[in-house]
Amino acid sequence: PVVKHRIAPFVLKLYEMVSSSATDACIAWHPTGKSFVIRDSDRLASTVLPNYFKHNQLTSFTQQLSTYSFVRLSNTSCLDSRLEFAHADFVRELGRERLHLIRRSSKLRAGSRQQQQQQPAQPPDSRVGASGSTQRGASPSARGTGVANPLSTGPVSGSCGAGAAEAEQLVVRPA
C-alpha cells in the first residue's frame, strides 16, 4: 500500500515556484540544489508571488519561510544583493519526496515565554539577539529554541563591514 503524506500548501507552492523555469529570472535553485536564491526581489514580489499566493509582499513571504524553519544563508559578498534560503528537506534532487516533513514551527510556546521572563537580566555589554539569545550561528528562527543551525560553520569575521555582534549572528553556507 502506498502511503500519501500531506504537504503544506505553502511548501508545495514554494517548490513549484522555485522549480519552474518561468520564474528563473526571479527565483531559482542554487547550483548545488540544496538551497534556492531570490535573484530579483522586486520582480518576485510584483509578478511571481501574486501568481502563487494571495499577496505580493516579500516580507510576508520571508516570514513564512522562517515559520517553516527555512534558514537564510549569508551572501559571499557584500555587493551581492540576492537572498538565499535553505532547509534540509527542501532539496532539488529529492523532488517532493521529503516536502511532507517540512512543518510550521512554533517559535514560542507559553512555557518557554515564562522561562524567558524568569531569566536573569544580561549585563549591558552582552551581545544579545532580538529574541534574547546569545547563540552563535543560530538562525533567527532557531534562536531561543536551543536548536543550533546545522548549516552554520560558526562565526564570521570581517564580513562586509559587519560588527562583531552582527558577524556572529550571520549564517554561513559551507564551501
Side-chain angles (χ1 to χ4, degrees):
V2 176
V3 178
K4 291 189 176 184
H5 298 282
R6 185 179 181 281
I7 300 172
F10 173 80
V11 175
L12 187 57
K13 289 176 185 180
L14 175 64
Y15 182 81
E16 291 171 357
M17 184 172 53
V18 173
S19 298
S20 171
S21 59
T23 62
D24 281 351
C26 301
I27 187 169
W29 288 104
H30 185 274
T32 64
K34 295 182 180 186
S35 62
F36 66 91
V37 179
I38 298 174
R39 296 175 175 164
D40 186 340
S41 55
D42 292 336
R43 275 183 44 197
L44 176 73
S46 65
T47 60
V48 178
L49 289 181
N51 291 331
Y52 290 89
F53 305 103
K54 295 178 182 177
H55 64 81
N56 65 349
Q57 300 296 315
L58 185 64
T59 53
S60 297
F61 177 68
T62 56
Q63 188 172 18
Q64 277 288 89
L65 291 171
S66 178
T67 299
Y68 283 90
S69 301
F70 280 80
V71 177
R72 179 167 177 209
L73 305 179
S74 66
N75 297 350
T76 54
S77 165
C78 56
L79 302 175
D80 186 1
S81 63
R82 300 176 306 162
L83 301 173
E84 186 173 353
F85 295 90
H87 188 289
D89 295 310
F90 195 82
V91 179
R92 181 178 50 211
E93 285 74 26
L94 296 176
R96 297 178 183 202
E97 184 179 318
R98 296 179 58 87
L99 295 182
H100 68 279
L101 298 174
I102 303 173
R103 300 279 181 208
R104 281 180 178 250
S105 62
S106 56
K107 291 185 180 185
L108 284 177
R109 298 183 190 276
S112 62
R113 224 180 268 126
Q114 289 171 352
Q115 288 173 353
Q116 224 177 19
Q117 291 172 351
Q118 293 172 358
Q119 289 177 350
Q122 296 288 331
D125 63 340
S126 177
R127 305 288 185 198
V128 178
S131 68
S133 169
T134 58
Q135 292 177 343
R136 289 184 169 188
S139 70
S141 62
R143 270 188 224 118
T145 64
V147 177
N149 176 7
L151 300 173
S152 175
T153 59
V156 178
S157 60
S159 151
C160 299
E166 293 85 359
E168 287 181 358
Q169 293 181 2
L170 291 175
V171 178
V172 179
R173 180 179 66 238

